[in-house]
Amino acid sequence: MLSALLLSSVKLVSALAVCAAMSTGPDFGDDRSTSRTQAGPPTTPKRRTVARAVTPRATCVTTNDTLAGQPFGAELTTDELLRAGAKVVSRRCLANVHEKGQTDTILTLQHQGNQFEFYCLPEQRLLRRAVITNFRPGYGQRLRQTLDASTRQNGGSCAKVQIRDTERANNVSATFTEGKPAVARVEPYLD
């Protein structure tokens, strides 16, 4: 019994000695091998890079007259939207503050979930406000390109984007979800 115990302890010591010899490296008998204590501090292991999810910045603000002034590219018209299937949601009359006796109209249109509000004068109709939640129509795709251009100007992903012109009159603001615009609000300057 004692001999079995001695024999297993000898095997254990032999195994530890082999492991210790292997950890210091082979001995070639020349200068190719030096122990770690002679060579200096051990080298640090290479760091692994772990891909991390990019956290978008809270709000990116861009001042760009073209992007803020023409967020849809060409200016949208009521006729264009009505031809595309927009429905009139409301009409509201109000007195023109500049022309005495003139009555103007606020016209609200709904198109594929998007809402447009136009200020209608006798000679023209001006976009007053738009809320875009569906970016599939052509104007939505052009707006998405505008928002992407603004994001690139800010150097990356943003949770919210605000585009304004130099006089801060025209504003476009958007909220992004998973890198894509979810809601955009367009507010051109009106007097």
Side-chain angles (χ1 to χ4, degrees):
M1 179 80 127
L2 183 62
S3 64
L5 184 61
L6 285 173
L7 183 60
S8 63
S9 61
V10 168
K11 286 182 181 178
L12 180 64
V13 169
S14 298
L16 289 173
V18 169
C19 287
M22 288 176 53
S23 67
T24 60
D27 185 15
F28 294 108
D30 58 7
D31 290 339
R32 289 187 291 177
S33 165
T34 58
S35 71
R36 289 185 183 202
T37 57
Q38 292 174 349
T43 58
T44 58
K46 291 183 180 178
R47 292 184 182 181
R48 292 184 186 177
T49 56
V50 178
R52 295 181 185 165
V54 177
T55 305
R57 289 182 284 162
T59 302
C60 299
V61 179
T62 300
T63 301
N64 185 316
D65 290 340
T66 303
L67 295 180
Q70 297 175 328
F72 297 110
E75 187 173 333
L76 289 174
T77 65
T78 56
D79 292 336
E80 176 185 351
L81 288 168
L82 290 169
R83 278 194 307 272
K87 303 291 180 209
V88 176
V89 176
S90 69
R91 292 177 195 266
R92 187 180 64 183
C93 295
L94 67 139
N96 187 309
V97 295
H98 299 292
E99 297 290 327
K100 192 171 187 121
Q102 180 176 318
T103 302
D104 299 329
T105 305
I106 302 289
L107 180 66
T108 305
L109 301 176
Q110 186 95 25
H111 183 254
Q112 296 186 12
N114 301 321
Q115 191 169 24
F116 299 89
E117 188 175 281
F118 286 89
Y119 189 89
C120 303
L121 299 159
E123 65 276 358
Q124 64 181 347
R125 295 177 175 181
L126 304 170
L127 181 65
R128 181 175 177 194
R129 182 177 302 122
V131 178
I132 308 299
T133 56
N134 179 357
F135 291 87
R136 284 177 275 168
Y139 59 81
Q141 292 173 10
R142 292 188 301 270
L143 178 59
R144 179 180 287 171
Q145 290 172 351
T146 299
L147 295 170
D148 289 344
S150 176
T151 302
R152 280 192 302 275
Q153 285 181 5
N154 281 294
S157 63
C158 305
K160 293 181 180 179
V161 170
Q162 183 180 3
I163 310 168
R164 58 185 178 210
D165 61 10
T166 49
E167 287 145 17
R168 297 183 182 187
N170 296 311
N171 288 297
V172 179
S173 59
T175 304
F176 283 72
T177 302
E178 296 177 3
K180 295 181 181 179
V183 177
R185 298 180 193 290
V186 178
E187 295 178 346
Y189 171 74
L190 286 176
D191 182 27

